[in-house]
RNA sequence: GGGGUUAUCGUCUAGCGGGAAGGACGCCGGUCUCUCAAGCCGGAGAAGGGGGUUCGAAUCCCCCUGACCCUACCA
């Protein structure tokens, strides 16, 4: 019977949800869905110094926003609870003690100072730093004296060396690493009694019956260490797939340190990016569907995802391409959804001036030219302003023209005839004004634009007039006319 | 210093021994339009270097080089 696929995302709540973490979560999610398996969310919170609940919440919120849902996790439980490592401290200790009793691990009494000193010496001599295993065969007396001094030991796992550790990586292919390059016997439980990452992951992945571990390639050396632990515990290791990292245009790893909020998923939500766009961008950044599709939904991704088509080399984060995806989704997602998402960006305006349907129409005509939804705030401002301010240079260059004055006054006469609500019909009235006066093109449209919005550039003119409605159009044209020089 | 990963247009990629090296973003030009976009049409633009293997190499092998990652009682 083939194992039911079980994969996980295991972030540590020491920071906000990072772009790279989101991509790893996404790939795991896609893999789980593709194989009708289970996607697990678990918290690696053993670093009590840096872990924080607000980060946990940010990670949960971010993944939820992206619509990446987990089947088991700290918030919803599951058959292999608990899903936070801090709730399993004793369990890790028990497993570590088994290793000690089987002679595969031992107590290490070295102090941080001693360890540092050792490394300093090694650096001076050859450069290679590694734990020399001095506590591995500690004498009974020495041990007793350490205990008398109340020195609290850590637990180290014996790294058998030299030997080659190999695995077939689902993304990278064959990988071989010599155990001698792993830095010597490794700490698995810190002297504060808390398991260290490399040990806790193995125990958890075993407890949670993970079949595949898909993570960043910065874990490749960890995988070698972990493989040794699986072996010592007498268990079969899951399959591994290491995804290349994400770089910036200078080929630096994307990091909070260098890029700040630009790597924070929530920043994209706040700035008006569509989660569909981010998911689509992230998915195709290091993976290309066999079908060659560029635009696809999360659900479609679930049908097509294939680990063997994930790229081996790093991808550079390209905001331009994200913008392209984002603009596409702003334009193609259902209008009601985009309107809902636009509302927070319209919060500074008095929306009660328009009906819900009119707000939707405003969003409809504006979304054509947006790349991020936040741009709708300045773009829609003129719809809500009580009065329009026409910049001086436009007054000088545009309103000073005789034709502008004629157009505006003629338009004012025809305001009553405007079929408000009918975009094309309103445009037709403007055209009729132009026809009667023998004015066309910019000479006809720009004065109207300036009067209504204070700019010569904006959404479709017919839509503007139609949505602004009779009262606003009338008063704005009157105001503009008042600025036209009397001839 | 040691170890590992990696290398196709500026960027993301397709390709998996025989093609004029394909697509997408961006860029440039055209078209549409009252404007900015969007859309449509077109264009420029790529195999890091060196050795092999082969009738034939982007594709297989080796070396070099670059970039990146790891090298904690962080995760």
């Amino acid at each position: 019977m083939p194992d039911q696929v079980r994969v996980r995302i295991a972030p540590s709540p020491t920071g906000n949800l990072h772009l790279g973490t989101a991509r790893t979560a996404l790939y795991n999610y896609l893999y789980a869905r593709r194989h009708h398996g289970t996607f697990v969310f678990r918290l690696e919170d053993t670093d009590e110094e840096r872990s924080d609940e607000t980060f946990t919440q940010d990670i949960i919120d971010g993944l939820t926003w992206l619509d990446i849902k987990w089947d088991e996790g700290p918030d919803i439980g599951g058959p292999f609870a608990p899903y936070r490592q801090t709730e399993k401290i004793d369990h890790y200790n028990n497993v570590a003690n088994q290793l000690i009793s089987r002679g595969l691990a031992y107590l290490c009494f070295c102090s941080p100072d001693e360890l540092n000193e050792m490394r300093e010496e090694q650096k001076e001599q050859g450069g290679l730093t590694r734990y020399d295993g001095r506590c591995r065969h500690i004498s009974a007396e020495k041990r007793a004296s350490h205990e008398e001094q109340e020195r609290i030991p850590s637990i180290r796992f014996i790294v058998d060396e030299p030997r080659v550790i190999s695995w077939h990586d689902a993304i990278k292919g064959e990988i071989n690493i010599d155990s001698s390059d792993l830095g010597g016997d490794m700490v698995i439980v810190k002297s504060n009694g808390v398991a260290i990452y490399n040990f806790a992951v193995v125990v958890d992945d075993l407890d949670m019956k993970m079949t595949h571990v898909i993570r960043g390639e910065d874990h490749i050396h960890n995988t070698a260490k972990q493989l040794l632990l699986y072996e010592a515990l007498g268990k079969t290791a899951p399959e591994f797939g290491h995804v290349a990292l994400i770089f910036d245009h200078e080929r630096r790893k994307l990091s909070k340190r260098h890029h700040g909020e630009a790597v924070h998923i929530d920043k994209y939500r706040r700035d008006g990016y569509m989660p569909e766009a981010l998911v689509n961008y992230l998915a195709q950044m290091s993976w290309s569907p066999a079908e060659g599709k560029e635009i696809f939904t999360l659900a479609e991704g679930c049908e097509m995802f294939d680990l063997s088509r994930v790229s081996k080399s790093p991808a550079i984060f390209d905001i331009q391409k994200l913008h392209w995806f984002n603009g596409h989704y702003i334009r193609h997602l259902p209008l009601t959804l985009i309107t809902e998402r636009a509302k927070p960006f319209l919060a500074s305006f008095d929306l009660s001036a328009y009906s819900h349907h009119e707000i939707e129409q405003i969003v409809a005509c504006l979304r054509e030219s947006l790349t991020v939804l936040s741009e709708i705030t300045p773009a829609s401002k003129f719809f809500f302003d009580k009065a329009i301010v026409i910049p001086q240079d436009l007054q000088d260059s545009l309103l000073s023209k005789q034709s502008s004055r004629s157009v505006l006054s003629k338009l004012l006469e025809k305001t009553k005839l405007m079929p408000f609500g009918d975009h094309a019909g309103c445009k037709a009235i403007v055209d009729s004004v132009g026809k009667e006066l023998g004015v066309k093109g910019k000479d006809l449209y720009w004065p109207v634009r300036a009067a209504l919005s204070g700019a010569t550039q904006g959404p479709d003119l017919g839509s503007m007039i139609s949505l602004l409605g009779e009262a606003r159009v009338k008063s704005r044209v009157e105001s503009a006319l008042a600025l036209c020089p009397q001839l």
Side-chain angles (χ1 to χ4, degrees), chain A residues 170-184:
Chain A
I171 294 169
K172 302 277 191 181
E174 215 55 44
I175 297 183
N176 304 299
I177 288 174
D178 194 315
S179 64
S180 314
D181 297 319
L182 263 21

Side-chain angles (χ1 to χ4, degrees), chain A residues 331-342:
Chain A
R331 252 163 262 122
H332 294 273
L333 252 13
L335 180 58
T336 51
L337 178 61
I338 297 299
T339 304
E340 259 335 287
R341 290 180 182 175

Side-chain angles (χ1 to χ4, degrees), chain A residues 292-359:
Chain A
K293 272 184 124 173
E294 305 275 349
I295 299 263
F296 52 87
T297 63
L298 185 58
E300 288 168 329
C302 290
E303 300 296 311
M304 308 183 290
F305 191 71
D306 181 355
L307 257 193
S308 70
R309 292 185 64 87
V310 171
S311 171
K312 294 182 185 183
S313 49
I316 290 170
F317 181 73
D318 182 11
I319 193 87
Q320 304 263 46
K321 191 146 190 182
L322 209 210
H323 282 159
W324 176 71
F325 278 110
N326 206 54
H328 172 87
Y329 282 103
I330 286 178
R331 252 163 262 122
H332 294 273
L333 252 13
L335 180 58
T336 51
L337 178 61
I338 297 299
T339 304
E340 259 335 287
R341 290 180 182 175
K343 287 218 173 126
F345 298 103
L346 266 20
S348 56
F349 303 128
D350 177 14
L351 298 192
S352 68
Y354 293 93
S355 69
H356 176 73
H357 176 72
E358 285 166 337
I359 295 287

